[in-house]
Amino acid sequence: MNRLVVVSNRVPLPSQGARAGGLAVALDGLMEKRGGLWFGWSGRIAPGQTPLSGVETEGEVDYATIDLTQEEHDRYYNNFSNGVLWPLLHTMPELMKFDRRDAKVYREVNARMAASLQPLLRPTDVIWIHDYHLMPMAAYLRDRGVKNPIGFFLHIPFAAPDVLGAAPEVAALVRDLLAADLLGFQTDNDVANFAAAAQSLVGATKLANQGLQCGGRRVKLGVFPVEIEAQGFALMAARNAYTAGGERLRRSLEGQKLILGVDRLDPTKGLMQRLAGLECFFDKHPEWRRKATMVQIAAESRKDVGSYQALRAALDSAAGSLNADFGEPEWQPLRMVSRAVDRAAVAGYMRLAAIGLVTPLRDGMNLVAKEYVAAQEPDDPGVLVLSRFAGAARQLDAALLVNPHDPDAMADAIDTALRMDIAERRARWRSLWDAISDRTPALWGRSFLASLMRATLPASKPAKPEPVVVSSPPKLTLVEPVAQVGGRRG
Ligand code: ADQ
């Protein structure tokens, strides 16, 4: 088997412990099973540039990293990746702060990473680059003569071409992406947006079977929705709902229904709109006061970016007002936690929750929605209320789908979910479980890599006419979801 080289902005070094974040969650599972080299930023700031800051090995995975200088961290990571590309690609250009100097350093860091990675590569390696931090990386590797198969996967949405036009650098980044052999996206909408951008911004032409041609290069596009380890997550939830921490949460609810939100604190996750929906719910449906409580875990992330600091302040203020307006001396409608909570504990809380409230304004996929489904007791499942603008809504269409911008719709969906009878809850949950239970991050990775290998076959030896779009990966032998361990829903 060819060695897999994964390249991502942040490398989850074993010596540094776990963090909240979808990319690490998705790739950890794949790398654990397959092994290989994981290359990227160490998470450390150094006074000067060095080609490599260290190599660690755990199990079958080698981790090779570079450090960033303070200026690189500010301009490449905070300002351009998270301050321009993240809001732009999520169709929130009003949050973007563009500065040419940031775009320049973004490119320099990508070029430096390509220079550091190249000497570590073997001729038979397969390279898989991840996410918006590294959009020009494939082009820099090609400039250095790297001929290996290169795949790129975008974990976040790809915006429509007229939105992209807001950032002057983006057309060049679209062109650079075409240096890869396969470009993977979360949904067919993202593929369509990228294909339209490549045609209108850099003059690419469309080929049959999800391909593009530009300047003599051919690249394939494909849809590869990121998956979770549903069976393992179900087990973790069952074990953790009844630990001391889970019991404390349950006791503190005193029989009330739990509405749970779990997110990174991020403008795309729709947290302000969620609180508006919750406020509307307690206003329109006062019969639920003292009978339901929302717990929102919103782990702070990207604290150096201005819009994230502003969001934290706005959220604290909105949460305070909501509790002051609706709270009673003995009851508080909302409990807010701004720290990352241990993944196992979160799984247990999800199992206790009557509603998983997942309402991003836009999201590439959203793994929390899938985790909430996996965490449920099959006999007495909770209800997923999901934004129709999350990529996950394509697969999880048996959830109650809502428009996160409409507080009344959210309030009514919460009410409907809390009143839903057991037969409908079970039927909806079964359909959601069927959508996620036979897929894993390892299968997701395998199907991407198989498509990458097919995309690099010489034109004279055409691959079997297999579609690149992955809608139903091979079936696994299913174990039944974990059965009820004890009664729990308030
Ligand atoms: P994220 O934007 O980070 O991921 P998401 O897909 O929800 O979002 O993944 C977050 C992961 O971190 C989940 O496993 C979740 O359990 C965990 N997590 C989130 N908040 C947490 C908290 N407060 N405490 C503890 N754990 C928390 C990006 C894209 C997504 C895409 C993923 C994977 O933005 O659209 O689904 O990558 O491709």
Side-chain angles (χ1 to χ4, degrees):
M1 193 162 48
N2 308 51
R3 184 176 70 153
L4 172 61
V5 177
V6 160
V7 188
S8 65
N9 165 62
R10 185 73 190 267
V11 174
L13 288 171
S15 54
Q16 291 176 348
R19 289 186 327 276
L23 186 143
V25 167
L27 285 175
D28 269 348
L30 170 68
M31 285 305 263
E32 251 171 48
K33 286 217 164 59
R34 157 134 194 176
L37 171 66
W38 196 330
F39 176 84
W41 176 39
S42 62
R44 288 186 292 261
I45 305 291
Q49 297 177 349
T50 46
L52 269 189
S53 67
V55 180
E56 283 181 29
T57 301
E58 190 177 76
E60 298 300 307
V61 187
D62 295 321
Y63 300 83
T65 51
I66 67 161
D67 294 341
L68 295 178
T69 65
Q70 188 63 53
E71 189 194 11
E72 286 175 335
H73 181 255
D74 293 346
R75 292 190 182 281
Y76 147 81
Y77 180 68
N78 283 338
N79 298 358
F80 197 75
S81 297
N82 291 333
V84 173
L85 293 177
W86 175 272
L88 186 73
L89 293 173
H90 282 90
T91 314
M92 299 172 90
E94 68 282 2
L95 294 183
M96 170 184 107
K97 266 176 97 177
F98 183 82
D99 180 331
R100 283 184 187 188
R101 284 162 300 180
D102 298 332
K104 181 168 168 282
V105 175
Y106 172 85
R107 284 197 161 277
E108 286 166 1
V109 170
N110 270 266
R112 186 156 92 75
M113 285 210 193
S116 293
L117 175 61
Q118 188 197 6
L120 308 178
L121 293 175
R122 301 172 189 159
T124 53
D125 284 346
V126 176
I127 303 167
W128 190 4
I129 301 169
H130 289 263
D131 235 1
Y132 58 102
H133 315 84
L134 302 174
M135 287 167 78
M137 175 96 176
Y140 287 124
L141 285 170
R142 296 287 185 226
D143 287 350
R144 305 186 76 83
V146 172
K147 303 243 173 337
N148 305 52
I150 301 182
F152 175 91
F153 185 78
L154 186 68
H155 290 255
I156 67 175
F158 200 86
D162 53 345
V163 176
L164 295 177
E169 181 65 22
V170 167
L173 293 179
V174 168
R175 180 178 293 110
D176 285 350
L177 279 172
L178 300 174
D181 299 295
L182 174 67
L183 300 176
F185 299 87
Q186 300 270 23
T187 69
D188 49 5
N189 192 43
D190 303 319
V191 166
N193 280 343
F194 181 82
Q199 290 169 91
S200 67
L201 300 178
V202 302
T205 48
K206 235 178 168 167
L207 302 172
N209 201 12
Q210 303 242 48
L212 287 174
Q213 173 146 16
C214 189
R217 276 202 60 82
R218 283 165 175 243
V219 56
K220 285 266 182 207
L221 311 183
V223 180
F224 304 89
V226 172
E227 304 295 349
I228 63 160
E229 198 82 57
Q231 314 268 4
F233 200 87
L235 207 58
M236 182 158 70
R239 287 203 185 113
N240 282 279
Y242 298 94
T243 56
E247 284 295 349
R248 271 198 303 277
L249 172 60
R250 201 153 48 130
R251 247 182 286 126
S252 75
L253 291 168
E254 296 177 326
Q256 294 176 73
K257 304 265 191 191
L258 172 61
I259 305 167
L260 182 67
V262 180
D263 308 78
R264 278 184 312 96
L265 199 153
D266 191 290
T268 62
K269 301 293 180 187
L271 293 164
M272 290 299 287
Q273 291 77 359
R274 195 175 306 165
L275 295 201
L278 189 68
E279 190 169 334
C280 186
F281 166 69
F282 283 120
D283 191 36
K284 271 178 97 168
H285 303 282
E287 66 279 15
W288 286 112
R289 294 184 199 169
R290 275 173 258 105
K291 293 199 180 117
T293 289
M294 166 121 194
V295 172
Q296 175 63 58
I297 303 172
E300 269 196 303
S301 65
R302 306 176 189 172
K303 287 187 230 172
D304 300 336
V305 182
S307 55
Y308 288 69
Q309 293 158 0
L311 174 63
R312 170 72 205 265
L315 207 56
D316 285 353
S317 159
S321 299
L322 197 147
N323 277 333
D325 290 344
F326 292 91
E328 312 270 349
E330 79 293 356
W331 174 73
Q332 207 175 292
L334 174 66
R335 302 178 193 176
M336 187 80 117
V337 180
S338 298
R339 290 180 307 273
V341 177
D342 170 62
R343 202 168 146 68
V346 169
Y349 300 160
M350 285 177 171
R351 196 165 175 99
L352 297 176
I355 295 183
L357 193 53
V358 186
T359 55
L361 303 181
R362 208 163 283 268
D363 217 326
M365 177 52 53
N366 195 299
L367 298 184
V368 171
K370 293 184 173 181
E371 290 167 354
Y372 178 75
V373 171
Q376 298 311 297
E377 279 170 19
D379 287 343
D380 185 16
V383 180
L384 175 65
V385 176
L386 176 62
S387 163
R388 60 178 71 254
F389 303 124
R394 313 248 161 168
Q395 289 166 290
L396 303 180
D397 55 359
L400 290 183
L401 297 182
V402 291
N403 177 350
H405 299 281
D406 181 352
D408 282 280
M410 212 186 297
D412 293 344
I414 295 172
D415 180 59
T416 304
L418 291 179
R419 291 179 195 283
M420 194 177 284
D421 65 39
I422 183 81
E424 184 175 351
R425 280 196 277 129
R426 282 184 189 149
R428 283 181 183 268
W429 178 81
R430 172 52 68 180
S431 155
L432 295 170
W433 173 254
D434 288 347
I436 61 166
S437 57
D438 61 347
R439 300 165 184 220
T440 64
L443 280 175
W444 165 74
R446 281 224 307 265
S447 52
F448 182 92
L449 294 170
S451 294
L452 174 56
M453 296 320 283
R454 282 199 297 276
T456 53
L457 286 177
S460 54
K461 267 207 271 166
K464 285 199 193 100
E466 233 174 300
V468 174
V469 175
V470 179
S471 50
S472 44
K475 288 254 172 203
L476 285 179
T477 314
L478 271 190
V479 288
E480 267 301 292
V482 184
Q484 184 162 351
V485 185
R488 62 95 174 87
R489 245 170 249 293

